[in-house]
Amino acid sequence: MMASLLGLATRNWQIFNPPKVPKSTTPLRFGILGAADIAPAALILPAKTHPDVVVQTVAARDPKRAKAYAQKHGIPQVSATYEDLLNSPDIDCVYIPLPNGLHYEWALRALRAGKHVLLEKPLVNNAEEAVALFKCSLLDGPKAPVLLEAVHCLFHPAWTVFMSHVTPADVAYAKAVLWVPRWKFADDDIRYRFDLGGGALMDLGAYTASALARVFGAVAEECEECVTQEGAYDPRCDRLYKARYRFPGGGYGEMEGDLKAPLDRMSPDIHVVHKPVVVSRADAGVEIPEGQEVLRTRKLKFKVFVMPSLIHSIQLDDEFVMRKTGDTSGQVVKKWTNSRTIKTYTFRDAGIDQPGEPYWPTYRYQLEQFVNKVRGREVQQWVDGADSINTMRMIDMAYTAAKLPLRPTSGYTLMGDSA
């Protein structure tokens, strides 16, 4: 117990106080668009432990704020404007943590400037923008820039291990929940601004919808119901949501999120229930007499799936039933259950040959794969255009079912600075 607590304390201290590593002679130089609160966790700290990444510059609407932000976080340069940053020949990659409603325009501007783009989630305001962004000609060709939606939790080894126990075609039901404590965001926060792409479905649904789509291996066919509660600032922006989806094959998925949750709802979890399936002797772990078969019903619970680097657990429960082959009468020869709890902080823990350290946060694992992609190396985990489009489609479905308007589509085009 003491060793476990010490490991927890050491890991979490190092997450926020990572060791610096020597940089390569020609590292990728990143610029940040916006002096955003998320950037230290999402890029600045992870960059310290990556030998091929330097955060070189930041730009903000308020130059004084950009200068103070750069001084606080050890960023050597300040760009006068977003355009100046994008036009700099010294910048290879751009991280965009701007309000959601600005993602589409500034991602296109960055791609047009030839920059690789790490774009905060949600990707854009709606599925129409998502399709247009990934179909733009700037992403065509072998030397096209890289575009990645920063759904960072999908890059952590715990997610890889979790999915190794999920069989999407056999999932009957899944539920993803994500809560934010009520004191975290003020009532007039950008998350409640419709014109900036606000809403709980936009902010939290990007996690829960992408998780469901991966668990089921497909985008939902329909959102059958979505109940929301409006925020205080703008009734078009949801503060809370509860959505139910029907997936191909008859499975059902639910997701819930709350930007002002009570303190007893803190753990972001995923629950998965598989259909009963016939399994082999090896999977059952017992000898199976001739004329009999074993059915397995698998249940999983992944606690703290969004920030598993801090702490997490994957509870795996397999319920087995031995019966006569093909017997659907309900008569059982034997029943038993196998359960175990899994915790994985590095790929080495899972026997996978990939780099990582126990103190690497999800963002650091994400950065590893982003750099690999930019450098033309093989990537092991990724969020491709289809994944991001499917997430936005599910968010749009939920807003439609809730009878709320979709977030507005940008008028920006590649033909000029505005439509």
Side-chain angles (χ1 to χ4, degrees), residues 40 52 130 145 200 204 224 228 243 289 324 335 343 348 371 382 393:
D52 203 21
L204 307 181
E224 295 188 340
T228 61
K324 291 182 179 179
K335 295 176 68 174
K343 298 178 181 180
R348 292 190 302 273
V371 170
W382 198 248
R393 283 175 173 159

Side-chain angles (χ1 to χ4, degrees), residues 232-299:
Y233 185 84
D234 188 328
R236 296 171 296 177
C237 282
D238 49 309
R239 189 215 87 190
L240 169 155
Y241 65 86
K242 296 181 180 180
R244 177 178 171 86
Y245 296 92
R246 185 183 71 251
F247 284 85
Y252 281 88
E254 295 182 327
M255 65 182 200
E256 296 183 14
D258 190 346
L259 287 170
K260 288 189 175 294
L263 291 178
D264 62 346
R265 293 184 176 182
M266 287 294 100
S267 179
D269 301 339
I270 303 176
H271 305 255
V272 178
V273 179
H274 289 76
K275 305 169 188 175
V277 295
V278 176
V279 296
S280 66
R281 179 186 64 81
D283 288 335
V286 298
E287 293 294 332
I288 303 175
E290 186 176 351
Q292 296 181 0
E293 62 187 6
V294 172
L295 290 178
R296 181 187 70 194
T297 302
R298 170 162 288 179
K299 299 178 181 179

Side-chain angles (χ1 to χ4, degrees), residues 152-153 155-156 306-309 360-367:
H152 54 97
C153 58
F155 292 82
H156 195 272
V306 171
M307 295 297 289
S309 303
W360 278 18
T362 52
Y363 297 105
R364 177 60 179 83
Y365 282 104
Q366 174 180 263
L367 186 61

